[in-house]
Amino acid sequence: MVKRLAILLIGLLVINGFEIRAQEDYKELKKKYTYTIEKKHEVLDIDYDAIRFKKRPKNIILIIGDGMGTGQVFAGITVNNGLNIEQMPYVGFVKTQSADNYVTDSGAGGTALSTGVRTYNGAIGVDVNGKKLTTILEYADRNGKGTGLVSTSAITHATPASFIAHQAHRNMYEQIAGDFMNTDIDVFIGGGADFFTKRVDGRNLILELNEKGYHVGYNIDEVASKKDGKLAVLTAVGHNPGYRDRGELLSKSTAKAIEILSNNDNKGFFLMVEGSQIDWGSHQNDASYVTGEVLDLDKALAEALKFAIEDKRTLVIVTADHETGGMSVNGGNTSKGYVETGFTTGDHSAVMVPIFAFGAGAEEFIGIYDNTEVFEKMYKLFKFKQEDKD
Ligand code: MG
Ligand code: ZN
């Protein structure tokens, strides 16, 4: 009896460990320090000063390059001989330290950006005492705005999770998926379908989404005709593949989310878009993985910038939750699209990350400040009342 119980227990541990690894198996060192570009993309030609943006944004598109420091951005600039990010005229630096560690993880880093509160590493939308925090996405929803999340990882992974979920630990993927049922989010696109259907509690969240009026799809091209209403696209059972194998998924998802949110009859919108795998390439010290992912994020950024130029009431922000890899650029050739990189760690680093802003209210983002300030600035720019804060 005791022996059988022990076997059962070990079995459970193995299954659990496997599930966690299934979302965390991207950290193996590759040590590939050089990269030559596979396909250059055209950068938008923007005469920024000729555009009359409104002073305050009705819409905010927050783009997070997970693990994207200045090294990662400059590797992209080098190989593509310019990036759309360079069209964003207001630039600052963000300090990323968490409440319990000088080096943050994506849970605490995402929660600081989404709620304005520093918390412990691994936390998702809760403070150091485990108390639920209200996120900018939830405040937007409460104030009649549309909301959306797009990610190249599972939609339940730490970065998108910290905008919608409230859980003690980032590994609680099924509970995080459950939290998607607790808001009125208009659109979310990312991997992680299994956390919605193959659940310990037996709930089928896809059925629940259908009952709540969502159109649920599993492929971004398959939902092309969906132009408004509520949309959930679960593009992979777990994480999406890397940039070489997922095509234009991130750009198409970003454009689709913007289209849905701008067509819905809301008082503006908040959208977070994540390039998740810049972090994974950096953990692996793989120059090609990192740089390819930065280029992919920059292509998605073009969709946001085009919308902001047209709309004039939209703010586009690009930043990171932390830097990964202690990455530097040690050499390069812009005409050959070649870069030589170096890394100081296989983990996250403590350095400041850049922040770039474009459009309505963009000038607020210059300077050096804490990641929690990003939330405060968005909250103020949206004109949400301080007395309405939880
Ligand atoms: Mg992430
Ligand atoms: Zn990481």
Side-chain angles (χ1 to χ4, degrees), residues 26 64-67 106-107 151 153-154 157-160 170 274-277 279-280 321-322:
Y26 45 73
I64 299 178
D66 196 315
S106 293
S151 174
S153 60
H157 208 232
T159 311
R170 54 183 291 170
E274 185 201 17
S276 321
Q277 302 189 31
D279 174 65
W280 306 352
D321 48 356
H322 53 74

Side-chain angles (χ1 to χ4, degrees), residues 114 179 372:
S114 69
D179 282 350
T372 51

Side-chain angles (χ1 to χ4, degrees), residues 57-60 139-147 186 261-270 313 382 384:
K58 187 180 175 196
N59 314 309
I60 296 179
Y139 281 120
D141 183 35
R142 200 186 277 181
N143 284 277
K145 291 185 185 290
T147 57
D186 292 67
L261 290 167
S262 58
N263 283 342
N264 283 355
D265 185 23
N266 290 313
K267 297 177 187 159
F269 65 80
F270 171 81
R313 302 159 301 175
F382 263 156
F384 297 157

